[in-house]
Amino acid sequence: MRTLCPNLDGYDGLETVLEVPIPEETFEPNHKNVSWKNMRSWIKQNGDKSPKSPPPTPLGCRNNSDIQLLLSVVGAPLIPLPVHKDHAMSRNIKDHPIEGATAKYIVQQYIAACGGENALNRIDSMYAMGKVKMATSELIGGDGKMMKSKSIKSGGGETGGFVLWQKRPDLWCLELLVSGYKISAGSDGKVAWRQTPWHNSHASRGPPRPLRRSLQGLDPKNTANLFSNSICVGEKTVNNEDCFVLKLQANKSALRERSGGNVDIIQHTIWGYFSQKTGLLVKLEDSYLLRIKSKIPENDSVLWETTMESLIQDYRTIDGVNIAHAGKTSVSLFRFDENFEVSDSKTRMEEVWTIEEVDFNIKGLSMDCFLPPGDLKKEDA
C-alpha cells in the first residue's frame, strides 16, 4: 500500500501524502499512466472548495453509475441496531429462554476465542488499513436483459484502499477510495453520517449505529455486544465448518426511527455464524427490506430487498486479540412489486478485502478526529 505519490503539479516538489493508502496493484506498469491521471483528478477535486457537481468517470472505469452503486451499497453500510456497551461481558445466562441462553453461551465462547474479556477490555481505540476490490458481477434491468461483468475471480473489479479509525464507545471514521472515487463516513456518538462525491454530506436517520465493516472480524467486543441479545436458531455448515447460527432482528421502534420521507424500512435482520470448533465468527449475513413510496399517488410503491453475506477469514492474533485479516462479501439486490413478486430487476455485487495493518490504543486519537463535516444535512439514509 502506498501512502505517498509524486507531486502532480511539480515533480521536483515534495511528494503528496495520500489521505487513503492506495494498493500497489493500482500502479502496475500497464495501468500506470491511467492511475496517475485518476489520482491527479481526485486530488485536485478534493482541493476544490467550489460547490460539488457529479464527478467525471475515472479513466479505466466502466461507467459512473457502476462505481456509485458499488460504493453506495458496499462502501459503508451500517448494522441495523445500536450496540449497547458491555452487554456481552455479563456471564449471567439464567432466567432467559433456551434460545437466548444458548446464544449468550455461544457469545461467551466467542469472547474466549478472540482473546478473553481482559484482552478485549484493554482496547480503547483501533486503527485498521486495508485494500478492497469491488465488482458488479450481474445486472438484470427492467427490460429483462442481463449484463454480466467480469467477476473478481476472473480478474475484474475496481481496486481501492481504506482507513478505519475507531474509539469506544461508538466513535468511528472511515475513508474509502476506489478507482478515483472517495467515500467518507463516520459517527461522533450522536449522529452517523456519510459523504460522497455525488451527494452533500447527510446524516443517517435514527441513533448512530456501528459500521458493518468493523464487525467483519475487526471489532470482537462490539460484535459480542451486538449478538448478546440474539437467539440461537440452529446450526449450519459454512465452508465445511459446522456453525451455530445466531439471529438478531431490529424491532419496530428502531425501524420507525430509520424511516421517513418516502422511504419505509420494513425489516432488518442479521445472522452470525459462529464456528463450533474454534468459536470464531466465520460468516456475517444481514438482510433488509424497504419500501420506496411513489411521489405520484396512483403509482405503486417499490420494494427493495438487499442481502449481504460476508465470509470472514485469516484470523491472526494482534496484542492478544484474534482479528480477521481477510474476507469476501456478496451482495444481492432484488426489486419487488407491492405483491412481493420479484421483478426483472436484480443486481449482484461482490467485494474482497484484506487487512494490511491493525493497531490498538492509538495515542492522540481525540474527539476532533470524529467530527462530522460542516455541511452535514439531515436526509433520508
Side-chain angles (χ1 to χ4, degrees):
M1 299 284 280
R2 295 196 186 183
T3 57
L4 300 174
C5 76
N7 189 308
L8 300 178
D9 292 316
Y11 290 98
D12 57 343
L14 295 175
E15 292 183 315
T16 302
V17 180
L18 296 171
E19 294 181 31
V20 184
I22 308 299
E24 290 293 331
E25 293 91 326
T26 307
F27 307 105
E28 292 177 356
N30 56 334
H31 298 299
K32 190 171 183 180
N33 292 334
V34 171
S35 300
W36 285 128
K37 289 178 181 178
N38 283 346
M39 290 302 104
R40 178 196 295 269
S41 174
W42 175 71
I43 290 171
K44 286 189 173 182
Q45 176 193 333
N46 279 268
D48 183 9
K49 301 303 180 182
S50 58
K52 290 186 178 181
S53 59
T57 303
L59 297 171
C61 297
R62 287 185 299 278
N63 55 67
N64 187 305
S65 60
D66 195 43
I67 302 295
Q68 288 189 26
L69 180 63
L70 283 168
L71 291 182
S72 297
V73 176
V74 188
L78 304 182
I79 287 299
L81 292 168
V83 174
H84 298 287
K85 187 179 180 181
D86 294 342
H87 273 198
M89 297 297 140
S90 171
R91 293 190 175 276
N92 182 16
I93 61 175
K94 297 179 180 179
D95 303 324
H96 288 279
I98 184 63
E99 296 88 352
T102 302
K104 289 183 181 295
Y105 177 78
I106 294 169
V107 169
Q108 289 177 6
Q109 299 306 305
Y110 169 69
I111 293 171
C114 289
E117 290 185 24
N118 291 336
L120 298 186
N121 285 331
R122 284 197 299 267
I123 300 175
D124 176 68
S125 58
M126 180 192 70
Y127 151 81
M129 182 264 287
K131 58 184 179 180
V132 299
K133 198 167 189 179
M134 301 178 178
T136 303
S137 57
E138 182 179 314
L139 177 63
I140 304 177
D143 56 2
K145 294 182 179 179
M146 179 182 294
M147 294 174 285
K148 288 188 176 181
S149 302
K150 206 172 182 181
S151 66
I152 293 177
K153 190 175 182 180
S154 59
E158 313 296 343
T159 303
F162 70 89
V163 176
L164 172 64
W165 303 89
Q166 188 166 306
K167 187 176 177 67
R168 290 206 164 81
D170 48 9
L171 307 174
W172 56 267
C173 181
L174 172 74
E175 303 280 342
L176 171 67
L177 179 66
V178 175
S179 292
Y181 282 112
K182 179 184 174 185
I183 179 173
S184 303
S187 169
D188 64 354
K190 298 178 181 178
V191 62
W193 53 270
R194 176 159 39 172
Q195 186 180 53
T196 65
W198 48 87
H199 284 306
N200 289 325
S201 304
H202 63 278
S204 298
R205 287 186 174 271
R209 292 169 283 139
L211 183 69
R212 190 185 193 277
R213 192 171 295 276
S214 67
L215 270 68
Q216 295 171 177
L218 282 175
D219 189 347
K221 188 172 182 180
N222 261 351
T223 302
N225 286 332
L226 175 69
F227 282 103
S228 63
N229 292 322
S230 64
I231 60 172
C232 182
V233 293
E235 304 176 19
K236 191 172 182 179
T237 301
V238 178
N239 281 352
N240 299 319
E241 194 164 357
D242 294 332
C243 298
F244 295 113
V245 183
L246 303 189
K247 177 183 177 182
L248 186 68
Q249 184 125 14
N251 55 39
K252 291 183 179 180
S253 62
L255 297 176
R256 281 195 300 268
E257 287 182 320
R258 293 169 51 195
S259 301
N262 65 333
V263 177
D264 287 333
I265 311 295
I266 299 175
Q267 66 180 26
H268 199 156
T269 309
I270 186 168
W271 296 266
Y273 298 77
F274 294 82
S275 169
Q276 297 181 14
K277 181 179 179 180
T278 65
L280 296 171
L281 179 68
V282 297
K283 182 180 177 182
L284 182 69
E285 179 182 354
D286 74 301
S287 176
Y288 64 91
L289 180 67
L290 59 86
R291 177 189 290 112
I292 302 178
K293 303 173 186 175
S294 174
K295 295 181 180 180
I296 303 175
E298 58 269 21
N299 288 1
D300 292 335
S301 299
V302 176
L303 301 172
W304 281 96
E305 182 183 50
T306 303
T307 301
M308 306 185 72
E309 299 182 4
S310 298
L311 294 176
I312 302 168
Q313 304 164 332
D314 193 15
Y315 277 90
R316 305 179 200 173
T317 301
I318 306 294
D319 294 339
V321 179
N322 240 345
I323 297 295
H325 282 67
K328 53 185 177 181
T329 296
S330 60
V331 183
S332 299
L333 276 70
F334 296 97
R335 178 175 174 171
F336 298 81
D337 59 24
E338 280 289 351
N339 296 321
F340 285 88
E341 294 183 0
V342 181
S343 72
D344 291 331
S345 182
K346 303 176 185 178
T347 306
R348 299 185 188 278
M349 294 171 281
E350 54 185 339
E351 178 198 50
V352 173
W353 77 88
T354 55
I355 303 300
E356 301 287 313
E357 293 181 9
V358 177
D359 201 5
F360 300 123
N361 299 326
I362 312 303
K363 294 183 179 179
L365 191 61
S366 69
M367 279 290 299
D368 292 343
C369 301
F370 305 98
L371 293 176
D375 64 343
L376 186 67
K377 295 181 179 180
K378 190 73 174 180
E379 297 180 2
D380 297 341

